[in-house]
Amino acid sequence: MTSFPSYIGISMTARLVAIIVACIAGAWAAPALADPCDGMLPTKGTTFSGVVRYVGDGDGLCIGPAGRPDRWIEIRLADFYAPELHEAGGAKAKRRLERVAMGRTLVCHAGRRSYDRIVAVCTIGGRPLGNMLRAAGGQEGGRGRSK
Protein backbone atom coordinates (compact mmCIF):
# COMPACT_ATOMS: atom_id res chain seq x y z
CA MET A 1 0.00 0.00 0.00
CA THR A 2 1.21 3.47 -0.76
CA SER A 3 1.55 5.69 2.26
CA PHE A 4 0.86 9.40 2.18
CA PRO A 5 3.35 11.89 3.53
CA SER A 6 2.86 12.54 7.22
CA TYR A 7 2.07 16.22 6.57
CA ILE A 8 -1.31 15.22 5.09
CA GLY A 9 -2.29 14.12 8.58
CA ILE A 10 -4.68 11.35 7.56
CA SER A 11 -3.71 7.74 8.07
CA MET A 12 -4.66 5.07 5.57
CA THR A 13 -6.92 3.52 8.20
CA ALA A 14 -8.80 6.78 8.66
CA ARG A 15 -9.16 7.16 4.88
CA LEU A 16 -10.49 3.60 4.58
CA VAL A 17 -13.00 4.16 7.38
CA ALA A 18 -14.15 7.40 5.74
CA ILE A 19 -14.65 5.63 2.40
CA ILE A 20 -16.62 2.79 4.01
CA VAL A 21 -18.82 5.26 5.94
CA ALA A 22 -19.48 7.25 2.75
CA CYS A 23 -20.46 4.08 0.85
CA ILE A 24 -22.85 2.97 3.59
CA ALA A 25 -24.40 6.44 3.82
CA GLY A 26 -24.85 6.53 0.05
CA ALA A 27 -26.50 3.13 -0.02
CA TRP A 28 -28.77 4.04 2.91
CA ALA A 29 -29.99 7.21 1.21
CA ALA A 30 -30.46 5.59 -2.21
CA PRO A 31 -34.03 5.92 -3.48
CA ALA A 32 -36.19 2.82 -3.71
CA LEU A 33 -36.74 1.38 -7.14
CA ALA A 34 -39.93 2.63 -8.70
CA ASP A 35 -42.71 0.19 -9.40
CA PRO A 36 -43.37 -0.64 -13.06
CA CYS A 37 -47.02 0.48 -13.05
CA ASP A 38 -47.64 3.35 -15.47
CA GLY A 39 -51.33 3.07 -16.40
CA MET A 40 -53.87 5.86 -16.14
CA LEU A 41 -55.71 5.92 -12.83
CA PRO A 42 -59.49 5.49 -12.82
CA THR A 43 -61.65 8.30 -11.51
CA LYS A 44 -63.20 8.17 -8.06
CA GLY A 45 -66.32 6.00 -7.98
CA THR A 46 -65.29 3.89 -10.98
CA THR A 47 -65.35 0.10 -10.84
CA PHE A 48 -62.44 -1.51 -12.67
CA SER A 49 -60.76 -4.91 -12.80
CA GLY A 50 -57.62 -6.70 -13.84
CA VAL A 51 -55.11 -9.40 -13.02
CA VAL A 52 -52.53 -8.71 -10.30
CA ARG A 53 -49.16 -8.34 -12.08
CA TYR A 54 -46.98 -6.70 -9.42
CA VAL A 55 -46.93 -6.42 -5.63
CA GLY A 56 -44.91 -3.53 -4.22
CA ASP A 57 -45.53 -4.05 -0.51
CA GLY A 58 -48.13 -5.49 1.86
CA ASP A 59 -50.96 -3.21 0.73
CA GLY A 60 -49.89 -1.96 -2.69
CA LEU A 61 -50.15 -3.72 -6.03
CA CYS A 62 -50.74 -3.24 -9.75
CA ILE A 63 -53.31 -4.82 -12.03
CA GLY A 64 -53.53 -4.93 -15.80
CA PRO A 65 -52.87 -6.84 -19.00
CA ALA A 66 -49.86 -9.18 -19.23
CA GLY A 67 -46.71 -7.58 -20.57
CA ARG A 68 -48.21 -4.06 -20.58
CA PRO A 69 -46.93 -2.14 -17.53
CA ASP A 70 -47.86 1.04 -19.38
CA ARG A 71 -51.49 0.02 -18.72
CA TRP A 72 -51.08 -1.37 -15.19
CA ILE A 73 -53.07 0.50 -12.55
CA GLU A 74 -51.32 1.07 -9.23
CA ILE A 75 -53.58 0.45 -6.23
CA ARG A 76 -53.27 1.15 -2.52
CA LEU A 77 -55.72 -1.09 -0.68
CA ALA A 78 -58.30 0.95 1.24
CA ASP A 79 -59.28 -1.82 3.63
CA PHE A 80 -55.91 -3.14 4.83
CA TYR A 81 -52.94 -1.30 6.34
CA ALA A 82 -49.79 -3.42 6.23
CA PRO A 83 -46.57 -2.49 8.01
CA GLU A 84 -44.13 -0.54 5.82
CA LEU A 85 -41.51 -2.64 4.02
CA HIS A 86 -38.69 -1.33 6.23
CA GLU A 87 -40.65 -2.02 9.44
CA ALA A 88 -40.99 -5.29 11.34
CA GLY A 89 -43.35 -7.56 9.42
CA GLY A 90 -43.23 -5.49 6.22
CA ALA A 91 -41.47 -8.05 4.03
CA LYS A 92 -43.72 -10.80 5.38
CA ALA A 93 -46.81 -8.70 4.57
CA LYS A 94 -45.60 -8.30 0.98
CA ARG A 95 -45.09 -12.05 0.60
CA ARG A 96 -48.58 -12.65 2.03
CA LEU A 97 -50.19 -10.29 -0.51
CA GLU A 98 -48.24 -12.01 -3.31
CA ARG A 99 -49.43 -15.41 -2.11
CA VAL A 100 -53.07 -14.34 -1.82
CA ALA A 101 -53.44 -12.16 -4.92
CA MET A 102 -50.66 -12.58 -7.52
CA GLY A 103 -52.07 -13.70 -10.86
CA ARG A 104 -55.68 -13.44 -9.68
CA THR A 105 -58.37 -11.11 -11.00
CA LEU A 106 -59.39 -8.22 -8.76
CA VAL A 107 -62.57 -6.17 -9.07
CA CYS A 108 -61.98 -2.77 -7.46
CA HIS A 109 -63.96 0.33 -6.59
CA ALA A 110 -61.85 3.49 -6.90
CA GLY A 111 -61.68 5.98 -4.07
CA ARG A 112 -59.34 8.93 -3.74
CA ARG A 113 -55.87 9.32 -5.21
CA SER A 114 -52.78 8.95 -3.06
CA TYR A 115 -49.59 10.09 -4.75
CA ASP A 116 -49.38 8.20 -8.06
CA ARG A 117 -51.89 5.49 -7.20
CA ILE A 118 -55.58 5.00 -6.56
CA VAL A 119 -56.91 3.96 -3.16
CA ALA A 120 -59.46 1.23 -3.77
CA VAL A 121 -61.48 -1.52 -2.14
CA CYS A 122 -60.85 -4.70 -4.12
CA THR A 123 -62.38 -8.16 -4.14
CA ILE A 124 -61.35 -11.57 -5.41
CA GLY A 125 -64.32 -13.74 -6.29
CA GLY A 126 -66.58 -11.37 -4.35
CA ARG A 127 -64.47 -11.55 -1.15
CA PRO A 128 -62.81 -8.33 0.09
CA LEU A 129 -59.04 -8.59 -0.29
CA GLY A 130 -58.48 -6.93 3.09
CA ASN A 131 -60.52 -9.66 4.79
CA MET A 132 -58.62 -12.33 2.87
CA LEU A 133 -55.29 -10.90 4.08
CA ARG A 134 -56.48 -10.83 7.70
CA ALA A 135 -57.75 -14.43 7.36
CA ALA A 136 -54.30 -15.41 6.04
CA GLY A 137 -52.72 -14.04 9.23
CA GLY A 138 -52.10 -10.47 8.14
CA GLN A 139 -51.49 -8.05 10.98
CA GLU A 140 -52.25 -4.41 10.31
CA GLY A 141 -49.84 -1.74 11.40
CA GLY A 142 -49.09 0.66 8.57
CA ARG A 143 -49.02 4.46 8.78
CA GLY A 144 -52.48 4.86 7.21
CA ARG A 145 -54.19 2.73 9.82
CA SER A 146 -56.90 4.54 11.69
CA LYS A 147 -56.45 4.39 15.44
Side-chain angles (χ1 to χ4, degrees), residues 26-136:
W28 189 275
L33 296 176
D35 60 65
C37 317
D38 290 326
M40 288 185 56
L41 299 180
T43 58
K44 185 175 182 177
T46 304
T47 298
F48 61 101
S49 65
V51 175
V52 176
R53 304 294 178 187
Y54 172 84
V55 172
D57 58 22
D59 53 23
L61 49 82
C62 299
I63 64 171
R68 296 292 310 269
D70 62 315
R71 294 189 46 210
W72 292 356
I73 300 168
E74 185 173 1
I75 300 166
R76 161 62 174 90
L77 297 177
D79 61 344
F80 191 81
Y81 299 95
E84 301 302 317
L85 274 177
H86 64 277
E87 295 174 351
K92 188 175 181 180
K94 177 182 177 179
R95 289 190 304 272
R96 180 178 299 105
L97 182 55
E98 287 172 333
R99 207 172 43 252
V100 170
M102 185 62 83
R104 299 185 71 186
T105 299
L106 297 185
V107 175
C108 303
H109 187 75
R112 65 181 175 81
R113 282 183 165 209
S114 175
Y115 302 103
D116 59 347
R117 59 193 175 178
I118 195 77
V119 178
V121 175
C122 300
T123 60
I124 296 175
R127 293 181 58 206
L129 184 51
N131 290 351
M132 293 174 73
L133 292 169
R134 282 185 282 280

